[in-house]
Amino acid sequence: MSERLPISVCIIAGAEANRIGRALESVESWTTEIIVLLNEDVRDGTEEVARKFGAQVYREPWKGYIQQKNSVADKATQPWLLGLDCDEVVSPRLAAEIQNWFRGGRQSEHQAYSFPRCSFFCGRWIRHGDWYPDRCVRLWQRGYAHWQGAEPHDKLEVRGTIGKFRNDLLHYSNLNINNQLKKIGPYADYFVHECRNRARRARWIDLAVRPFWKFLRGYIFRVGFLDGWQGYYIAWLGSFSNIARYSKLKEAEIEGDWKQTPPGSQ
């Protein structure tokens, strides 16, 4: 067993019994503490899987991604925190890079660190286009960062400098095309809610230009075509997701349906 680093792994979870084990296995042997915050109504066996890997498990009502992530971070006791999602895995190379960094005493050069995140989609690792390198700030010194942003796209706000690791955090979010398509509507609802809060309305450029630019940027300028048919699909998916969000925003303006509460908060 490798030397354990002074890191608390922080994970929020719903019904994730079929995925969380792989995430926990990737950090179990070299971190000091694992904390899993479950939605209070989860009964699919996620808690039992988490405890098998030595995790401390807490249950709380769902408060949204940002508040849940801040809540689990508040429970950490180690000097450093590593935020993971249930569909993410720390690759062996990234784990080795983090361990070598700590052993060399270099961790305090920055208050936080980012990793490139590589997604697996339809049988292929996606390494171009809008999905890569998809850098995520996930390792930070306790007391120097907190989660914020617009639901469901949380972002770690860091008080200090951010260093960069080279190796990939592996992402298994999109199991298939149906799984990916199911996200478009709910994410568009969150988008409409946030636009309402900022008094942001849909403009002609949002509907006429943004979707085409989204495709060109991902497929041509960020060479998404190197990822085969999957890269072609991802570029069009990004374009469609974009026009769906602004169309739903225009629909809400016409109907006067400016959401008073974020989707899923009831």
Side-chain angles (χ1 to χ4, degrees):
M1 180 181 294
S2 60
E3 177 187 357
R4 293 185 181 273
L5 301 183
I7 295 176
S8 295
V9 178
C10 300
I11 298 179
I12 65 170
E16 295 284 1
N18 63 328
R19 297 198 296 184
I20 195 172
R22 184 160 49 181
L24 297 176
E25 185 178 17
S26 72
V27 296
E28 176 195 20
S29 65
W30 54 274
T31 61
T32 296
E33 180 178 60
I34 298 175
I35 304 172
V36 175
L37 178 59
L38 281 182
N39 297 352
E40 63 179 359
D41 59 343
V42 170
R43 297 292 184 272
D44 74 327
T46 301
E47 179 171 354
E48 289 73 17
V49 174
R51 291 193 185 279
K52 185 178 76 171
F53 288 96
Q56 301 174 44
V57 180
Y58 298 85
R59 288 181 179 268
E60 292 180 4
W62 176 251
K63 302 178 291 294
Y65 292 96
I66 295 169
Q67 290 191 52
Q68 292 292 96
K69 287 194 173 185
N70 281 323
S71 180
V72 71
D74 288 342
K75 297 171 175 55
T77 64
Q78 295 300 303
W80 287 85
L81 282 67
L82 173 62
L84 283 183
D85 291 341
C86 294
D87 57 7
E88 295 173 339
V89 171
V90 177
S91 68
R93 288 186 177 183
L94 177 56
E97 186 178 10
I98 294 172
Q99 291 173 74
N100 290 335
W101 198 261
F102 271 77
R103 288 170 186 151
R106 302 179 62 189
Q107 68 271 18
S108 295
E109 291 180 0
H110 301 281
Q111 286 67 53
Y113 293 87
S114 70
F115 321 128
R117 185 168 68 166
C118 188
S119 295
F120 188 78
F121 181 67
C122 287
R124 184 185 189 121
W125 290 105
I126 305 302
R127 295 195 172 277
H128 309 89
D130 285 337
W131 280 18
Y132 191 80
D134 188 25
R135 277 201 166 267
C136 304
V137 182
R138 293 297 184 80
L139 179 65
W140 71 97
Q141 194 171 351
R142 186 153 61 99
Y144 282 87
H146 68 279
W147 293 99
Q148 62 175 32
E151 296 281 354
H153 302 294
D154 44 70
K155 179 183 179 182
L156 197 64
E157 183 70 18
V158 178
R159 181 167 54 88
T161 59
I162 301 173
K164 291 183 177 181
F165 286 110
R166 294 179 302 163
N167 289 289
D168 290 337
L169 179 68
L170 306 180
H171 191 211
Y172 293 90
S173 177
N174 306 300
L175 301 178
N176 51 51
I177 290 175
N178 281 344
N179 177 265
Q180 180 65 44
L181 292 174
K182 289 177 183 177
K183 298 179 180 181
I184 294 177
Y187 278 23
D189 289 339
Y190 277 112
F191 177 78
V192 171
H193 171 72
E194 291 301 321
C195 286
R196 172 197 174 275
N197 288 342
R198 294 183 284 111
R200 168 75 158 86
R201 294 182 176 273
R203 302 166 298 177
W204 71 268
I205 195 171
D206 297 323
L207 296 170
V209 177
R210 282 184 183 273
F212 294 103
W213 166 246
K214 182 81 171 176
F215 176 83
L216 288 173
R217 184 185 67 180
Y219 194 65
I220 303 299
F221 299 117
R222 293 184 176 174
V223 296
F225 56 84
L226 293 178
D227 284 319
W229 73 264
Q230 294 94 332
Y232 181 74
Y233 172 80
I234 288 168
W236 277 119
L237 178 71
S239 177
F240 176 72
S241 298
N242 193 274
I243 197 171
R245 294 181 184 190
Y246 284 102
S247 295
K248 290 200 75 168
L249 177 58
K250 177 60 77 174
E251 178 186 52
E253 294 171 13
I254 293 172
E255 297 179 355
D257 182 22
W258 290 93
K259 300 182 185 298
Q260 299 297 319
T261 57
S265 64
Q266 296 294 332

